[in-house]
Structure formats: structure tokens, C-alpha cells
Amino acid sequence: TGEIPDDFMEDSVYKGLDDQLMDINLSYNKFTGVIHSSTFKEFSNMKLDLANNEFEKASSFLCDMTDELTDWWDGEVGKVIDGGGNGCDAILCPPGTYNTLGRATSEDDGECVECESATFAGAVTCPEATEDNSREKEILDGLYIATAGDQWSKVVNWTETNVCSYEGIVCSDGGAVTEINVTSFGLKGEIPADIWELPSLRKVDFSSNVVDLSFEGIEKATKLKELIMSDADLTNVTGIEKAPPSLVRLEIQRNSFKEKEIPVELFSLVTLKSLLIGFNGFSGSLATDIGKMTELEEFRASNND
């Protein structure tokens, strides 16, 4: 488990030897994180099996150097490139795709095939959406229980059917939960942090409910684009600095922040395009770190102090 260390092959005596085949099998474990170029770039002749782990992706630096790794997998990386394919796919299929080998080949039908439920890089199967959506149902039913679902002001059909039929839930064509919108449902309490484990989650909106939210584990929601929680009971944003770079919209107006200065964690969200933090009673000066948010197109902080 865990990430592959950057120095994993640092002491190998075969570094830089073009005629020495390196055969490394790390498949079917629970390795996580990103495959970095620094770990393997010194080996031009390699069979590196990374299939069926929990990797986020191969790093852009490793993908950019695939022209130098054409001999990997007995030349398969080069053959995929010559056939018009993506050389990086020949090392590891990206999330949202799969191949029975976990990587693309030059054979007929050897490409990485689209599969929205394949949440990790290097997937070897395309999981089918089941009737109860297993873990997704467990997470959403836990949300219902934790926020007094039996007292919600809206009549909903949660816990009794397939998650894609839950009111306020949007699913993809493949049956994966992509959106939670429970605005004004009457939620009370704290949103469980395991909502960030929904692998295809793109948008959440908990506005107009008396709820707090933990950002612990938000980095797991690798496809999250919009997070909206206005007119709620949010008390802090600790951990939000780990939000995935996919997050482009954050709306947290009219909440119950304990600290009266604008949280510095917000300035770490450099991929945001829209940030709304008005009506929170914030005081003091606006930190110069906001200058790091070069993608920001909309910023609203009115009705603060």
C-alpha cells in the first residue's frame, strides 16, 4: 500500500544500461498516488507492470518522455505511438478507461477502453453498476442517517431504492453518482467526510441546511468541480487546501465561521475560477496570497468587515 517512493530504483546497478531488461511487476497491490518519471526514467528497456492498483495517474513528465521509452514492453510503447496511439496509455491506462492488461497495446482492440466506473489508472476490468451501487449506497445512506434524514423537510425516497433514484442525486449513464444537490432539504448536523470517496463526484450543493462539513479526504474526490454551501453552518475550511485541481467553483457565503479572518487555506486553491465568500463577517485585510490565484475570474467578498 501507499505511494511508490521516488527513490525506489535509485540504487539499481542497471540504471542507464540500454541492453539490460528490467522486469518489474507491481500489479494487483494497493499502491496509490502518481507514477513519477524520476522513479523509472533511467531505464530505457523495461517491462513495468502496474495494473490493478489504486494509482491516480502517470505523471505528465513521464508521459511527456514516452518518445524516450519506446523500447518498454518489448517495444510496445513505440508501436502504440507509431500506430497513432498515446504512448502514456501503453504504460498505464488513465482513470475512466480500462484494458485487461491495465495498459494499451498495439494489438487489435488493444486500446484503453472508456469506462466511467474505472476510477483508478491501470484498471483491468470495467465494474458494472449494481442495483444498490454498493459503496455509493453505503455513503449516501450514511449521509441520510447522519443528518436526520427522517426529519428532512422534503419527502424523499432515500435508502429504499437504487441511489440513482434518490431525490437530489444525479448519476452518469453508467450509474455512478456525479452530483449531490440537497438544497433546502432540511439537513441537520455534520456531513460525513466519506462523501469524498464517491469516485465520480463532480458537484455538491448543501446550501440552505443547518449543516457543517469536514474537508478531510477531499483529495479523494479527484473529479470534483463545484462545491456550494451557502446559507449553512460551515465553521471552518481546514483541509480544503488539499482539494483536487479539478475544483473550479467554491461558494461558501453566509456561514458560521469561528475565525474572523479570511481562511488562508482558500488561497491555496489556485485552480479556482469562482470564489464567493460574502456575508461571513470576515474582517481584516485581504492577504496578498490571493495573487497566487491566477485563474480566478469571479471573486465576491461583499458584506464582510
Side-chain angles (χ1 to χ4, degrees), residues 196 215 218-219 221 224-228 234 236-252 257 262-277 289-299:
W196 308 126
F215 297 100
I218 192 173
E219 66 274 10
L224 186 65
K225 298 182 68 175
E226 299 181 58
L227 198 167
I228 306 170
L234 188 64
N236 66 79
V237 294
T238 302
I240 201 171
E241 69 276 7
K242 296 180 181 179
S246 57
L247 185 65
V248 294
R249 180 186 180 194
L250 177 62
E251 185 175 330
I252 48 172
F257 288 97
I262 297 177
V264 295
E265 295 93 336
L266 297 178
F267 303 127
S268 299
L269 305 176
V270 296
T271 58
L272 280 185
K273 294 184 178 181
S274 177
L275 175 60
L276 280 62
I277 58 171
D289 282 350
I290 195 173
K292 299 176 183 178
M293 306 176 75
T294 56
E295 300 295 318
L296 202 60
E297 299 173 356
E298 179 184 31
F299 176 66

Side-chain angles (χ1 to χ4, degrees), residues 28 52 93-103 111-130 172-176 200 223:
Y28 291 82
N52 206 40
C93 285
T97 68
Y98 82 104
N99 182 292
T100 56
L101 297 175
R103 57 183 174 83
E111 69 274 9
C112 296
V113 181
E114 288 189 12
C115 171
E116 189 161 1
S117 57
T119 56
F120 297 111
V124 298
T125 61
C126 182
E128 294 182 0
T130 60
S172 67
D173 291 340
S200 298
K223 297 181 180 180

Side-chain angles (χ1 to χ4, degrees), residues 171-234:
C171 289
S172 67
D173 291 340
V177 174
T178 60
E179 182 177 333
I180 303 173
N181 187 343
V182 288
T183 302
S184 301
F185 271 36
L187 281 67
K188 298 178 182 178
E190 183 166 342
I191 307 295
D194 60 2
I195 63 163
W196 308 126
E197 297 178 27
L198 293 167
S200 298
L201 190 64
R202 289 174 169 78
K203 179 180 179 180
V204 294
D205 191 341
F206 295 115
S207 298
S208 301
N209 291 289
V210 188
V211 287
D212 201 352
L213 174 64
S214 170
F215 297 100
E216 181 179 355
I218 192 173
E219 66 274 10
K220 299 176 184 177
T222 57
K223 297 181 180 180
L224 186 65
K225 298 182 68 175
E226 299 181 58
L227 198 167
I228 306 170
M229 193 169 176
S230 293
D231 292 293
D233 204 21
L234 188 64

Side-chain angles (χ1 to χ4, degrees), residues 147-164:
T147 57
D150 58 345
Q151 301 175 34
W152 286 1
S153 56
K154 287 195 175 183
V155 178
V156 295
N157 55 343
W158 283 47
T159 76
E160 299 175 359
T161 183
N162 182 284
V163 293
C164 296

